Amino acid sequence: MKRIIIMGASSGIGMAVAEALASRGVKVGLAARHTTALRALKEKYSDNVEYESIDITHNDAPRKLNELIDRVGGMDIYFHVAGIGYSNQSLDPHCEAEIIATNAAGFARMLSAAYGYFRDNDRKGQIVAVTSVAGTNGIGEMAAYSASKKCAQTYMVALEQLANSKKVDITFTDIRPGWIRTPLLDSDKEYPMEMTLEYVVPQIIRAIVKHPRVAYIDARWGALCSAWKMIPDRVWSRLNVSVSKETPVSTEQPEASEGPNEEASV
């Protein structure tokens, strides 16, 4: 692993993976809308880290990505973690559209830019993206989120087919985690089969290194998704699927985040 660009590195999975790699001497380019945490990591690992403020919903994002790649000295791996996600049971149209704009349109904007970099520079590369187990079937409480993750997964399949047909030397890895306990999750709720960052980050790094086509985080979620795939839509749509349950409030838990969350994952 030589030079990696992490899109969506300001917190959660992106920041944890970035610090783990930078501490091992990997050259890392960090990108996110907000750069305070990125700047702090640059100060800690000045020789190994570069960063850029990039909003993947903006048309200038591909240009800024290429500028970051130049400062890093090239790109061997593009790792996409950026995204937003939250329950929207009321189906507020603005929220639904915002999720799709970031997780589907923004995803396509940045993966196509990364693909173009490898293609145009005739470089062997790897594109890794964190999607979600939520992309397996539509989840009523998170309709736009689960749909956007299915879109991301299908987009990666399409890009891989294109790369194979055009003889572009890119490998693709779709990382599909379940619930990960970070401050981005509602602190007053419990989520099914929650995992900690400390538990999932080594598995994510292992997936980046070994680059399987699809990596479920973890095996329990992989088994559950295999079962979900076997349920017909007409049956699934009648199931009462709940993504969380209320728990007593504890002052030791992180505060719940309001509004859209970067690097949120299920």
Side-chain angles (χ1 to χ4, degrees):
M1 191 182 300
K2 299 177 181 178
R3 293 161 295 188
I4 181 170
I5 302 296
I6 303 178
M7 186 64 59
S10 62
S11 64
I13 295 171
M15 174 54 70
V17 170
E19 181 154 21
L21 296 180
S23 69
R24 300 176 191 181
V26 177
K27 189 72 173 179
V28 182
L30 310 178
R33 290 178 299 174
H34 308 296
T35 60
T36 301
L38 311 187
R39 189 180 306 115
L41 200 63
K42 167 68 174 175
E43 293 172 357
K44 188 174 182 180
Y45 301 102
S46 58
D47 293 337
N48 297 336
V49 173
E50 300 291 342
Y51 69 91
E52 180 63 58
S53 174
I54 300 178
D55 187 330
I56 66 173
T57 66
H58 291 178
N59 288 330
D60 66 354
R63 175 182 59 79
K64 288 188 172 184
L65 171 63
N66 284 318
E67 291 173 356
L68 178 59
I69 292 171
D70 287 343
R71 291 206 302 276
V72 172
M75 177 174 71
D76 301 299
I77 303 169
Y78 176 78
F79 182 36
H80 190 97
V81 196
I84 59 175
Y86 44 92
S87 178
N88 183 27
Q89 296 183 53
S90 66
L91 290 183
D92 177 88
H94 173 75
C95 293
E96 294 294 274
E98 187 175 39
I99 292 170
I100 296 295
T102 302
N103 295 357
F107 184 92
R109 177 178 287 110
M110 301 318 298
L111 262 70
S112 63
Y115 180 100
Y117 170 81
F118 293 127
R119 177 198 60 205
D120 297 344
N121 291 279
D122 195 24
R123 294 179 64 98
K124 179 178 181 179
Q126 182 182 2
I127 293 177
V128 185
V130 173
T131 64
S132 172
V133 299
T136 306
N137 287 342
I139 299 174
E141 292 184 12
M142 307 177 73
Y145 182 80
S146 54
S148 70
K149 293 304 181 179
K150 171 61 76 174
C151 174
Q153 292 166 5
T154 302
Y155 192 78
M156 291 188 75
V157 173
L159 279 190
E160 184 175 32
Q161 183 189 68
L162 183 63
N164 288 333
S165 66
K166 299 299 183 182
K167 309 301 181 186
V168 181
D169 195 1
I170 303 175
T171 57
F172 295 82
T173 297
D174 180 352
I175 298 177
R176 303 178 184 181
W179 291 114
I180 300 172
R181 172 53 66 180
T182 72
L184 301 178
L185 292 186
D186 190 330
S187 61
D188 296 336
K189 294 181 179 180
E190 288 183 354
Y191 295 81
M193 296 193 293
E194 283 184 25
M195 301 171 289
T196 65
L197 275 175
E198 292 77 13
Y199 174 70
V200 304
V201 166
Q203 296 183 61
I204 290 173
I205 293 175
R206 191 177 307 119
I208 294 172
V209 173
K210 295 188 175 181
H211 51 81
R213 180 59 187 81
V214 175
Y216 286 99
I217 309 295
D218 56 8
R220 297 170 302 166
W221 281 104
L224 182 59
C225 287
S226 294
W228 282 356
K229 291 176 183 178
M230 300 174 65
I231 302 174
D233 288 348
R234 66 180 182 277
V235 175
W236 177 265
S237 63
R238 294 179 179 276
L239 298 179
N240 183 14
V241 178
S242 178
V243 299
S244 64
K245 64 180 181 179
E246 298 293 335
T247 60
V249 175
S250 168
T251 57
E252 295 180 357
Q253 292 178 313
E255 293 181 1
S257 179
E258 296 180 359
N261 297 327
E262 236 183 355
E263 299 94 43
S265 181
V266 65

